[in-house]
Amino acid sequence: MKEDWLERYYQKVLEEKQLDLNRRDRFTNWGLTIFLGFIIFYVELLSKETPLLWRLSLLYIVGALLLRFYVHACLAYGWVYKWNELIRSIEKYWMTERNDSIYEEVIKKIREYDHSQRVPIRHIKILKGQLKTGYYIIFFIIAFLIYNELSHFRFRSFEDHY
């Protein structure tokens, strides 16, 4: 009887893991796509000598949007780790002699990870892992552009900006 529900639960966990992998990839791909579109639009604004206020506003808005995509990708990344931990626990139970102590470990991990928002990975590792998917470059370029725009703002008079 405990084998039936565990097998169904295992299938559910595999599906959830795949959904979160797809979600993480989707947020990362959309983030990179929006960033490339933004760069093209920003260069166009520079060539038309658009006022500084409009360019800065665009930088802040796109930066906030991409930060949101980054956070969602981090959440999905953490949940993939959670599902992997549950998959390993169940497979460990199936690969051993299926004794009750390992079964109790599986139940404990299900309560710990599936019934709560906890993940079995440190948050800093999640943040660093997602930065490596391309967000390092995105955030560096946006920060550089904001710095560049603000440094121009300081050296010009107020009337030149409007």
Side-chain angles (χ1 to χ4, degrees):
M1 179 155 82
K2 62 184 172 184
E3 298 293 322
D4 292 339
W5 82 265
L6 195 55
E7 189 169 329
R8 287 191 307 274
Y9 182 79
Y10 180 78
Q11 291 303 318
K12 173 205 165 243
V13 169
L14 287 175
E15 292 168 7
E16 292 291 333
K17 175 187 169 186
Q18 192 58 48
L19 285 171
D20 283 324
L21 277 172
N22 291 340
R23 190 176 73 165
R24 185 199 68 173
D25 291 344
R26 205 169 28 253
F27 277 115
T28 302
N29 291 339
W30 271 103
L32 292 171
T33 303
I34 288 171
F35 177 70
L36 291 174
F38 154 74
I39 291 296
I40 293 167
F41 187 63
Y42 183 79
V43 169
E44 184 68 24
L45 290 178
L46 284 175
S47 68
K48 292 184 178 185
E49 298 181 14
T50 306
L52 176 68
L53 179 64
W54 291 101
R55 292 192 316 263
L56 267 176
S57 298
L58 176 68
L59 283 167
Y60 285 124
I61 290 168
V62 169
L65 177 66
L66 291 173
L67 183 63
R68 182 176 172 99
F69 277 27
Y70 170 71
V71 168
H72 280 287
C74 286
L75 290 171
Y77 187 63
W79 282 57
V80 167
Y81 268 86
K82 173 174 82 167
W83 301 129
N84 280 337
E85 182 66 26
L86 292 172
I87 288 168
R88 276 192 295 276
S89 296
I90 294 169
E91 288 174 350
K92 179 182 173 185
Y93 170 71
W94 284 339
M95 298 298 171
T96 60
E97 298 172 9
R98 300 180 184 213
N99 64 30
D100 288 338
S101 65
I102 297 176
Y103 180 76
E104 292 302 319
E105 271 184 47
V106 171
I107 299 299
K108 180 182 173 192
K109 289 207 178 192
I110 290 172
R111 284 188 185 122
E112 184 177 2
Y113 296 125
D114 193 17
H115 297 174
S116 72
Q117 299 298 321
R118 293 194 57 215
V119 291
I121 181 175
R122 295 186 50 160
H123 295 287
I124 193 75
K125 190 172 180 181
I126 293 171
L127 297 172
K128 286 180 181 178
Q130 275 310 111
L131 281 173
K132 291 177 186 176
T133 64
Y135 284 101
Y136 269 133
I137 297 168
I138 290 172
F139 292 142
F140 175 77
I141 291 174
I142 288 176
F144 174 77
L145 292 174
I146 289 172
Y147 174 79
N148 190 38
E149 293 287 357
L150 290 175
S151 66
H152 284 76
F153 182 73
R154 287 187 214 133
F155 296 120
R156 291 189 226 150
S157 68
F158 185 74
E159 292 83 27
D160 291 342
H161 297 293
Y162 300 101

